[in-house]
Amino acid sequence: VQPSADLRHAKVYVSSIGQDQEKIVKVLNLNASLFSKLVAKEIKTKYSPKLSFLTDCSFDEAEKIDQLIKYSK
């Protein structure tokens, strides 16, 4: 999760194993207002962040780095 400086927006990075990530992110974004309301009930801040869901590519990048290290030896 990457909140904005003013905490009014937050990017939520999502990854899944063996599932269609684009479809999952699309469904999560369709329901983002519900998740924002649930977050608002749990946190005590002046503003509740508007959530946006994005595909987390960090595992793909880590795999590429591992492959580069493996083949460089």
Side-chain angles (χ1 to χ4, degrees):
V1 177
Q2 184 180 23
S4 64
D6 63 3
L7 302 177
R8 290 186 186 209
H9 298 87
K11 295 177 183 176
V12 181
Y13 292 92
V14 179
S15 70
S16 64
I17 298 173
Q19 301 291 325
D20 182 7
Q21 281 190 248
E22 290 180 24
K23 185 176 180 180
I24 291 169
V25 169
K26 182 178 180 181
V27 170
L28 288 170
N29 279 313
L30 288 173
N31 294 289
S33 62
L34 171 64
F35 292 117
S36 292
K37 288 176 188 176
L38 293 171
V39 168
K41 288 182 181 180
E42 297 296 323
I43 61 173
K44 306 297 181 214
T45 60
K46 186 172 182 178
Y47 301 104
S48 174
K50 179 181 178 189
L51 303 176
S52 60
F53 295 89
L54 304 163
T55 301
D56 183 1
C57 299
S58 62
F59 289 110
D60 295 334
E61 293 299 318
E63 180 66 29
K64 288 178 189 177
I65 292 169
D66 284 344
Q67 293 298 322
L68 290 171
I69 292 170
K70 181 188 280 186
Y71 290 117
S72 68
K73 290 183 179 181

